[in-house]
Amino acid sequence: SNKNIPPTVFILLDAFRWDYLQAETAPVLWQLKEEGIYAKKLRPSFGFCEIAESSTGVRPNQSGLFTQLTFAKTQHGRIQSTYLKLIEQIATWVELYGGRGSTRLTNLLTKDFITPLFADQRVDNLRYNIPLRLLPLLSAVEARRYTEPNAFDIESCFDVLTKNGKRTYDDVYVINSKVSGTDESRVATLIEKAQHDFDLFMIYLGGCDEFGHRFGPNSEELQDIVSQQDRWINQLIKAFPPATRFLIVGDHGMLPVTDTIDIGTTIRQALSGFKHARDYILFLDSTLARVWWHNERAGEALREIFAAPPISQKGKIIDVKEAQRLAIPPPGERYGQLIWRANPGVMVFPDYFNNKVPLGMHGYPTHLDEQKGMAILWGQNIPSAEIDEIELIDLCPTICELF
């Protein structure tokens, strides 16, 4: 730890795929990668906890952090779930018979008044379209301020920096699984803080993730946002002292969505003798389906459904051996007694997070080049070098090494 070490700005470009970096659309980043250390491809682990992975330097099977939400099996949660099921039914009746505007009214009431009474605030931050009755049964795994001590229940680069007396500015980064403001406003805020006395500045830019989902990862709109982010990065470089180092990371890539599978309807029709939340719990991530059951009869029926068409044709069950290969926690009480993953390009829809089918999605096995991001380290005393591929877990020791 050296007090004379210059500050570092960590820029997280969410879903900036490695091949987005082209001289024509991102001339500033292109120059930085020529002058600094450039990791052409960055491979994340399978799952949806990239921030935990980059912050702790360990894979999901070691950290236990795999998806944003897990099952919290408590009697209190089961009782709350029963009440919320009744509220769901009432809301359905209101929308059915209440006429125009009733859907918006019920959404407002449940989000602002009902949900906070029954669900943990950290879960509520991730609610999206998750059925009300499931909220008390879920726990959020990444929903903390990451710079707080032991935020991941395993040592992180932020814990190391704090021990060494380093100060981190993270107001324009992800906090409690959420971000405040827009990319543009966060850049403006960070520029205002550029001369302040911090050692590590962190900022989140989500445009590539948003536009990749909405318009597709190969769209003209996506290229436009890449160029805009390139201009913002140039503004940040000019705002900070000349000695500042910049660590710029695209944490994962994205694939075009080419097919969908309606797992929810398939299961409801096949399990007509069982009730959701009473006999089993189904959680529909965008590229995952996870199931828990309360009796073995339901479990046996569910295993048969997932092993047969149409579900088996568009993905595969993750057993213990496959979980080891993917470096994720095995099937069990926390993430699902049965875990199914979609084939590349296949989207689970309807799911609990999207109102319409996105044109781009991530969350597929990360050996695919389209799932990979990139990284650039540039600044004072940083040599010029190119590395063909690194992993997302390499960021944690890199950040620690900078200080």
Side-chain angles (χ1 to χ4, degrees), residues 89-100 102:
Q89 292 173 339
I90 295 173
T92 301
W93 295 332
V94 171
E95 291 172 14
L96 185 61
Y97 299 108
R100 191 174 180 179
S102 58

Side-chain angles (χ1 to χ4, degrees), residues 35-60:
E35 297 175 356
I37 299 176
Y38 170 48
K40 185 177 180 180
K41 296 176 186 177
L42 179 148
R43 178 177 175 174
S45 294
F46 182 65
F48 292 96
C49 289
E50 290 90 359
I51 287 181
E53 184 180 356
S54 63
S55 301
T56 63
V58 297
R59 296 181 177 85

Side-chain angles (χ1 to χ4, degrees), residues 150-272:
N150 202 34
F152 300 97
D153 297 323
I154 185 172
E155 188 177 58
S156 71
C157 58
F158 307 117
D159 294 324
V160 173
L161 296 186
T162 299
K163 289 176 184 177
N164 287 332
K166 302 301 181 182
R167 300 180 64 219
T168 300
Y169 177 78
D170 66 344
D171 285 359
V172 289
Y173 195 59
V174 184
I175 299 175
N176 297 330
S177 300
K178 294 183 75 69
V179 291
S180 299
T182 63
D183 283 358
E184 184 175 15
S185 68
R186 287 191 293 276
V187 169
T189 299
L190 187 56
I191 288 174
E192 292 176 358
K193 297 288 184 179
Q195 304 300 322
H196 287 228
D197 186 22
F198 290 95
D199 300 287
L200 177 64
F201 296 81
M202 306 181 68
I203 183 169
Y204 170 88
L205 298 180
C208 286
D209 188 68
E210 177 186 349
F211 278 59
H213 286 307
R214 187 189 305 177
F215 301 107
N218 303 318
S219 63
E220 291 184 7
E221 291 86 353
L222 191 284
Q223 295 305 313
D224 290 342
I225 198 64
V226 166
S227 296
Q228 179 59 71
Q229 290 186 338
D230 192 66
R231 291 190 290 271
W232 283 329
I233 289 170
N234 192 40
Q235 292 175 18
L236 289 170
I237 291 173
K238 291 180 177 179
F240 277 84
T244 305
R245 288 90 51 88
F246 287 81
L247 179 57
I248 304 165
V249 175
D251 58 343
H252 60 82
M254 189 173 291
L255 276 70
V257 173
T258 58
D259 199 0
T260 62
I261 174 73
D262 185 353
I263 289 179
T265 299
T266 300
I267 289 179
R268 282 193 298 272
Q269 291 176 347
L271 291 182
S272 57

